[in-house]
């Protein structure tokens, strides 16, 4: 599938700090064909000796109609070959290679009409935020609920924007769940999904994204609560290098 996609040269146009260890990269990608919320890109770094490292990163925002500009949000992983570069030395004006958009299943289209439940663990918020933003950009009235599990309040990505959207985006509900520090820290459980999600009989489209263990737990809870497994779409942010 990705074999057909051409590698393109992207240049870093801007950077936004999300947390102490994550940043959003705003990239100019000449010839970018556009994408859907939920899709990702493959990024390739090449050393002068020809050694190459490739990783996947979700698109954090919907494609603007009039520019070849995309956004990725990268979490620094300790000793991570690619993420340490992208969150550190990679500077405005520098080039990287990328190809995409990749993935046609874990996507939300602005014409979709089912209620939506988004469940994010840590950096799994990235493609789900693209969906929240795509909903707003399309002035969609589809009700969205986001359950965002993160270690502590200072590890929340897009915090100011989420607070603004909670206030301004009618039909968007956001629930934060802290696993280590913050009010009542705990790991996601049935009660969280029951309270912050939709009843199964509403037949929502469910999107779950985050580390593999988190995704499996959340998807199991949804199915145990009666959600149709075909409507529970998952994306695992496990190691993607090769
Ligand atoms: C479809 C898809 C979309 C993704 N989207 C994003 C995104 O939007 N933002 C983002 O930050 N990451 C995302 N990832 C994860 C990303 O592709 C890399 O795996 C991550 O950046 C680590 O790469 P690295 O080269 O820095 O670490 P590596 O050099 O590959 O690994 C260093 C060490 O960290 C461990 N490790 C590797 N990846 C992870 C991880 N994800 N979590 C915890 N430990 C890890 C390895 O086992 C190893 O011990 C996505 C992954 C997939 C498959």
């Amino acid at each position: 599938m990705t074999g057909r996609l051409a590698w393109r040269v992207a240049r870093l146009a801007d950077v936004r700090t999300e947390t102490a260890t994550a940043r959003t990269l705003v990239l100019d990608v000449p010839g970018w064909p556009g994408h859907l919320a939920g899709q990702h890109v493959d990024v390739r770094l090449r050393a002068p000796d020809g050694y190459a490292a490739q990783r996947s990163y979700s698109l954090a925002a919907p494609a603007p109609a009039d520019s070849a500009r995309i956004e990725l949000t990268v979490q620094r992983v300790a000793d991570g070959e690619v993420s340490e570069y992208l969150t550190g030395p990679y500077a405005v004006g520098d080039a990287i290679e990328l190809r995409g958009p990749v993935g046609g299943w874990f996507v939300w289209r602005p014409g979709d009409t089912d209620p939506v439940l988004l469940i994010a663990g840590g950096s799994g918020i990235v493609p789900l935020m693209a969906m929240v933003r795509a909903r707003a950009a399309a002035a969609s009235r589809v009700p969205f609920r986001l359950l965002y599990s993160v270690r502590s309040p200072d590890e929340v990505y897009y915090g100011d924007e989420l607070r603004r959207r909670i206030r301004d985006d009618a039909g968007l509900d956001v629930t934060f769940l802290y696993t280590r520090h913050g009010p009542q820290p705990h790991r996601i459980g049935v009660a969280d999904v029951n309270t912050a999600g939709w009843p199964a009989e509403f037949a929502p489209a469910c999107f779950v994204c985050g580390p593999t263990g988190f995704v499996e737990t959340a998807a199991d809870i949804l199915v145990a609560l009666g959600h149709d497994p075909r409507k529970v779409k998952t994306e695992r942010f496990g190691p993607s290098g090769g």
Side-chain angles (χ1 to χ4, degrees), residues 134-214:
R135 171 186 184 272
S140 165
R141 316 280 283 194
V142 166
F144 265 45
R145 288 188 174 169
L146 166 63
L147 174 56
Y148 182 7
S149 168
V150 64
R151 268 185 260 191
S152 60
D154 59 1
E155 295 205 18
V156 169
Y157 295 4
Y158 322 121
D160 290 345
E161 182 182 342
L162 277 173
R163 278 184 285 278
R164 176 176 59 75
R165 291 194 180 284
I166 291 166
R167 194 188 60 216
D168 298 343
D169 288 14
L172 170 69
D173 292 322
V174 181
T175 304
F176 295 95
L177 188 169
Y178 302 109
T179 57
R180 295 213 187 147
H181 307 286
Q184 300 172 322
H186 65 281
R187 289 186 178 275
I188 191 167
V190 174
D192 301 299
V193 179
N194 211 12
T195 309
W198 299 105
E201 52 271 30
F202 286 23
C206 304
F207 296 91
V208 184
C209 186
T212 302
F214 175 88

Side-chain angles (χ1 to χ4, degrees), residues 40 56 58 105-106 121 123-124 127 208-220 232-240:
H40 64 273
S56 299
S58 296
W105 186 72
F106 191 85
S123 53
V208 184
C209 186
T212 302
F214 175 88
V215 168
E216 284 169 6
T217 300
D220 285 350
V232 178
K233 298 187 175 180
T234 58
E235 181 108 287
R236 293 163 173 77
F237 275 12
S240 60

Side-chain angles (χ1 to χ4, degrees), residues 40-41 53-59 72-85 123-124 126-127 157 209 211 235-241:
H40 64 273
V41 296
Q54 183 182 317
R55 302 288 184 271
S56 299
Y57 292 98
S58 296
L59 290 145
L72 311 177
T73 305
V74 180
Q75 173 68 46
R76 184 163 72 236
V77 171
D79 297 325
E81 196 174 17
V82 173
S83 65
E84 285 207 330
Y85 175 74
S123 53
V126 179
Y157 295 4
C209 186
E235 181 108 287
R236 293 163 173 77
F237 275 12
S240 60

Side-chain angles (χ1 to χ4, degrees), residues 27-67:
L27 295 154
D28 282 326
V29 194
W32 182 251
H35 61 270
L36 293 167
Q39 291 187 297
H40 64 273
V41 296
D42 295 329
V43 169
R44 183 165 70 183
L45 303 183
R46 282 213 264 195
D49 66 1
Y51 173 78
Q54 183 182 317
R55 302 288 184 271
S56 299
Y57 292 98
S58 296
L59 290 145
D66 55 351
S67 83

